[in-house]
Amino acid sequence: MEIKTQILPPDQRRSLPSDKALGFGKIFTDHMLVMPYDAKQGWHEPEVRPYGPFSLDPAAMVLHYGQAIFEGLKAYRGQDDGIYLFRPLANLERMNRSATRMCMPTLPVETVFAGLKALLQIDADWVPPADNGASLYVRPTMVATEAGLGVRPAMEYLFFIILSPVGAYYPEGFNPVKIYVTDKYVRAVPGGVGEAKTAGNYAASIMAAVEAQQEGFTQVLWLDAKERRLVEEVGTMNIFFVFKDRIVTPPLSGTILPGITRDSVLRLLADWNLPVEERSITIDEVFAANERGELREVFGTGTAAVISPVGSLHYKGRDCLINRGKIGELALRLFNELTAIQYGRQADPHGWVVRL
Ligand code: COI
């Protein structure tokens, strides 16, 4: 499919703000990619056009029944001034798995990737310099646009990609975060949509996050819905525990997000011959190991969060202080390795990086 382009004249283009911290997802670039779908034509007319509001029918099915999925990946400015994408096809493939789970149409990956590259070339100046871990966050999204109130799969959709120059996701930056372990709320149930990157999962997580933040915590750690003992994931990241003789992360059992950073970390740990187990782990096991002095580090992984050290866990009124609340050695090593690959500073033996 040919990608049409409609580009703003130079005098209407804005530029990357240099005077203030970028934060996360607050500023958007000049253009976006849009591509509609209907049952007759399928996906058609992909177009890069100026960033701006959509017009939606008030009966658009996404507004009522929540058929909405999204992805998150990043474009990085290399030292050679080139633009690097990290595992973009893995994100698009995951988006298609989310689409299938939500009865939404799958995307033509080649066309979307060509559209993403065209969009990035047009808004290339918005990819920030690498200072303090800045990058251009890429947000592909798909929503049901058909007007109708029957509960069934919609027959019309809109796919779009918007871009946002970002800094660190957490206000703490790379400093350890304080996590609240909730057994009051759950994020996902077996057989549900926990492994799909669908908007409703995030909507359902907000109340627990707000309550945790009111108590001074950064994020929530979710436990399984059945027994409320097994560790699942943190609000916006997967989680790893480093014990004295092994590293453990919960398995992809259908209720957690199959993180691309999680997968990359598992491969780096294997490259380094470190013993890793993807297995169920209870929160009691984590606290008990900490009491025995065997819990060395805890960290989260995610596109937005990158590698995020966890300084403490709070559960049922008890606190588990990890590594004296300091950044762990392994988290730092992983952060350095991963970001060196992402910014094109280092050899990429897995073929993860695509230079534009
Ligand atoms: C990402 O890490 O890209 C995510 O999608 C998390 C986001 C909800 C902030």
Side-chain angles (χ1 to χ4, degrees):
M1 258 183 280
E2 189 205 340
I3 319 273
K4 285 200 211 153
T5 52
Q6 193 191 319
I7 303 177
L8 281 175
D11 62 332
Q12 285 178 35
R13 294 182 71 156
R14 297 160 305 133
S15 54
L16 188 66
S18 55
D19 52 337
K20 51 178 186 274
L22 293 170
F24 185 86
K26 296 182 183 157
I27 307 161
F28 299 95
T29 68
D30 284 334
H31 297 89
M32 60 187 181
L33 174 76
V34 292
M35 179 168 66
Y37 172 97
D38 63 49
K40 257 204 200 135
Q41 302 175 83
W43 291 108
H44 58 281
E45 288 177 30
E47 182 179 28
V48 176
R49 65 171 194 232
Y51 183 95
F54 301 123
S55 147
L56 268 190
D57 193 294
M61 288 166 80
V62 64
L63 303 176
H64 302 271
Y65 307 128
Q67 268 185 302
I69 57 174
F70 68 93
E71 272 301 323
L73 63 152
K74 283 175 171 172
Y76 305 85
R77 172 78 61 195
Q79 273 167 340
D80 59 356
D81 213 32
I83 295 173
Y84 294 81
L85 284 167
F86 186 70
R87 306 187 68 181
L89 295 174
N91 284 92
L92 297 180
E93 282 153 15
R94 185 173 66 182
M95 190 159 197
N96 274 346
R97 293 198 298 277
S98 299
T100 300
R101 178 63 183 87
M102 301 302 290
C103 293
M104 299 166 84
T106 55
L107 292 159
V109 168
E110 243 175 66
T111 302
V112 170
F113 191 37
L116 169 61
K117 287 192 279 191
L119 174 64
L120 285 169
Q121 306 278 15
I122 291 166
D123 278 347
D125 287 350
W126 286 87
V127 182
D131 317 336
N132 301 321
S135 60
L136 186 68
Y137 188 73
V138 177
R139 173 52 65 88
T141 309
M142 190 200 301
V143 294
T145 50
E146 184 192 347
L149 297 182
V151 181
R152 57 164 173 77
M155 286 190 296
E156 291 167 21
Y157 295 85
L158 187 67
F159 170 76
F160 56 91
I161 300 180
I162 54 174
L163 306 174
S164 174
V166 298
Y169 183 72
Y170 296 125
E172 289 88 339
F174 188 59
N175 289 319
V177 291
K178 285 173 70 182
I179 301 281
Y180 186 88
V181 185
T182 181
D183 58 357
K184 177 174 170 194
Y185 302 106
V186 294
R187 176 185 172 276
V189 296
V193 293
E195 68 182 342
K197 207 159 171 67
T198 182
N201 283 336
Y202 295 81
S205 75
I206 291 173
M207 184 172 235
V210 167
E211 288 184 11
Q213 277 152 19
Q214 280 165 354
E215 301 290 319
F217 298 92
T218 314
Q219 278 275 340
V220 168
L221 173 65
W222 300 101
L223 301 176
D224 74 288
K226 257 193 189 157
E227 299 179 46
R228 305 202 184 181
R229 289 171 52 237
L230 300 174
V231 171
E232 297 233 307
E233 65 179 277
V234 178
T236 59
M237 49 190 195
N238 296 113
I239 192 147
F240 285 73
F241 300 94
V242 184
F243 298 107
K244 78 171 194 298
D245 53 356
R246 73 189 61 129
I247 303 156
V248 178
T249 193
L252 300 181
S253 55
T255 51
I256 69 172
L257 191 82
I260 289 156
T261 312
R262 173 189 182 279
D263 181 71
S264 308
V265 162
L266 285 172
R267 295 215 216 163
L268 290 177
L269 295 174
D271 290 350
W272 298 341
N273 289 320
L274 293 173
V276 194
E277 293 172 3
E278 286 180 76
R279 66 156 168 93
S280 300
I281 175 165
T282 66
I283 189 67
D284 296 324
E285 183 182 340
V286 173
F287 271 66
N290 194 48
E291 268 162 30
R292 292 195 305 274
E294 290 175 7
L295 179 65
R296 300 283 187 262
E297 293 179 40
V298 179
F299 58 85
T301 63
T303 298
V306 196
I307 303 291
S308 180
V310 174
S312 66
L313 294 168
H314 181 89
Y315 174 58
K316 284 193 192 294
R318 288 163 64 207
D319 280 299
C320 167
L321 183 70
I322 300 143
N323 194 29
R324 302 186 317 282
K326 300 257 176 342
I327 296 170
E329 214 177 284
L330 186 61
L332 184 62
R333 184 176 176 202
L334 282 164
F335 178 84
N336 287 338
E337 181 80 7
L338 199 60
T339 51
I341 296 172
Q342 289 170 332
Y343 285 90
R345 290 197 300 268
Q346 180 162 314
D348 169 29
H350 298 283
W352 285 337
V353 156
V354 177
R355 189 181 189 280
L356 276 200

